[in-house]
Amino acid sequence: MNQLIRCKNCDEIFMKTPFDHSPVYIFDPERSLENFRSIETDDYQDFLTHHQGHQLENLNIIEDSFVSRKAYSEPVKASFFKATNGKEKFVIKKFREKIDEPLKYLLIPGDYSLKCSAIEIQSEEISKQFKRELNPPLSQNKIDAFLKLYREIAEDINIKDLERIPEESHYPLEIYYRLDDIHSMFLLRNCRNIFKGQEYSAIEEFIQRHKDDGVLLLKATYEIKLTEMAKPRKKMITASVPFEKDKIAAKK
Ligand SMILES: [Zn+2]
């Protein structure tokens, strides 16, 4: 279990992970008997020593608050999440500048919100899927007409009315949404102006097949709006009662 600890005096953050106490093994070819020597790393102990006599408190990470501009799988990046001590909220920036660096945590006074900056249709994927599935194939003109129609419908949609499909995306700020019934009916109705007879039936089936989890999902891109607050003037915190620190230290 990870534990997030804040020093109230310094506004510094420490993320205590189960690995903090595990030794780091280093391969040492010079030593024949034991090729590995272990170095005890105790970053947490360093943190405690550094903030001796200060007031420490546990912060709870606010679920689902994690955001980042880069892919989940990208190791070198900055991401943000929110945490609280029950009274105040904090934004924590978690980052690493090089791949071999440990993660760093920085407390930012302020807040952030996410703003939807674009709603797009998956034009390329839709075209490919049409070509793969429809026989006889659609003419390029008709594919373009469908994409134009769908794009226009997407532009009018309020993203708040749609159902989110979280597992589709590799990027925290790209979220996929399922087209709702009203808009898929509207799409179908307008398809009647483009497609006739057999072709229309094929399109109708195509929309039914793909509106829930496939190429017809709408992609919304969000931006992180970080609102940094000026640091409030540091209150004097008396260090005479360091009971919170003891409480945390006792959990080690
Ligand atoms: Zn401190």
Side-chain angles (χ1 to χ4, degrees):
M1 268 299 280
N2 291 356
Q3 212 182 338
L4 189 62
I5 296 151
R6 169 187 175 228
C7 172
K8 290 163 86 166
N9 301 58
C10 311
D11 258 346
E12 275 178 32
I13 288 290
F14 188 84
M15 179 68 94
K16 188 166 174 275
T17 68
F19 309 110
D20 290 325
H21 300 285
S22 47
V24 174
Y25 291 97
I26 295 178
F27 183 68
D28 186 355
E30 297 298 306
R31 296 168 82 169
S32 52
L33 279 179
E34 29 167 313
N35 277 342
F36 291 92
R37 69 201 157 92
S38 74
I39 294 173
E40 290 287 331
T41 62
D42 205 335
D43 296 343
Y44 182 55
Q45 202 51 55
D46 291 347
F47 179 81
L48 288 183
T49 310
H50 189 77
H51 297 278
Q52 202 161 25
H54 296 180
Q55 276 200 343
L56 304 184
E57 66 178 1
N58 278 317
L59 299 183
N60 289 318
I61 297 170
I62 296 172
E63 240 180 277
D64 292 328
S65 66
F66 173 89
V67 289
S68 176
R69 294 185 179 99
K70 290 196 179 171
Y72 287 114
S73 54
E74 171 63 57
V76 181
K77 66 177 170 195
S79 48
F80 302 89
F81 60 88
K82 299 183 192 188
T84 178
N85 59 9
K87 295 182 289 270
E88 300 156 278
K89 267 193 192 177
F90 305 95
V91 174
I92 318 282
K93 180 182 177 184
K94 171 182 166 185
F95 64 106
R96 174 191 277 142
E97 277 142 358
K98 287 192 206 124
I99 191 140
D100 53 352
E101 268 182 3
L103 281 166
K104 293 178 197 158
Y105 295 87
L106 189 70
L107 189 136
I108 301 173
D111 201 356
Y112 62 78
S113 56
L114 296 182
K115 192 173 160 284
C116 179
S117 57
I119 302 173
E120 291 167 89
I121 65 166
Q122 304 179 63
S123 304
E124 219 172 287
E125 288 80 359
I126 295 170
S127 303
K128 274 190 204 152
Q129 207 64 29
F130 272 147
K131 286 170 189 162
R132 218 172 281 151
E133 289 182 18
L134 295 198
N135 196 14
L138 294 176
S139 69
Q140 190 59 47
N141 278 350
K142 288 197 172 173
I143 293 178
D144 291 343
F146 178 87
L147 295 176
K148 185 168 177 280
L149 166 67
Y150 193 23
R151 211 170 282 130
E152 279 169 10
I153 291 174
E155 275 169 15
D156 275 342
I157 288 179
N158 186 346
I159 208 73
K160 292 193 182 86
D161 299 335
L162 299 185
E163 187 191 340
R164 179 183 169 170
I165 317 278
E167 63 274 17
E168 284 287 325
S169 178
H170 298 291
Y171 293 86
L173 294 178
E174 279 179 8
I175 296 173
Y176 287 83
Y177 291 87
R178 178 179 290 149
L179 191 63
D180 61 318
D181 289 344
I182 294 170
H183 286 94
S184 63
M185 291 296 283
F186 189 61
L187 176 64
L188 263 178
R189 200 183 327 132
N190 282 279
C191 278
R192 289 213 177 93
N193 301 326
I194 309 171
F195 308 100
K196 305 285 174 209
Q198 278 292 327
E199 220 167 51
Y200 176 77
S201 312
I203 290 291
E204 190 177 12
E205 282 166 24
F206 183 91
I207 292 174
Q208 289 308 326
R209 262 200 309 280
H210 294 291
K211 75 182 168 80
D212 286 340
D213 55 4
V215 294
L216 293 178
L217 293 179
L218 296 168
K219 186 178 101 179
T221 309
Y222 285 85
E223 277 169 19
I224 306 172
K225 293 269 172 205
L226 204 61
T227 45
E228 234 173 291
M229 284 188 307
K231 243 182 194 175
R233 277 178 56 197
K234 199 152 280 169
K235 285 174 289 187
M236 285 299 292
I237 300 170
T238 47
S240 54
V241 201
F243 63 94
E244 280 178 278
K245 183 197 157 191
D246 289 341
K247 207 167 70 188
I248 291 165
K251 284 188 189 163
K252 261 180 67 177

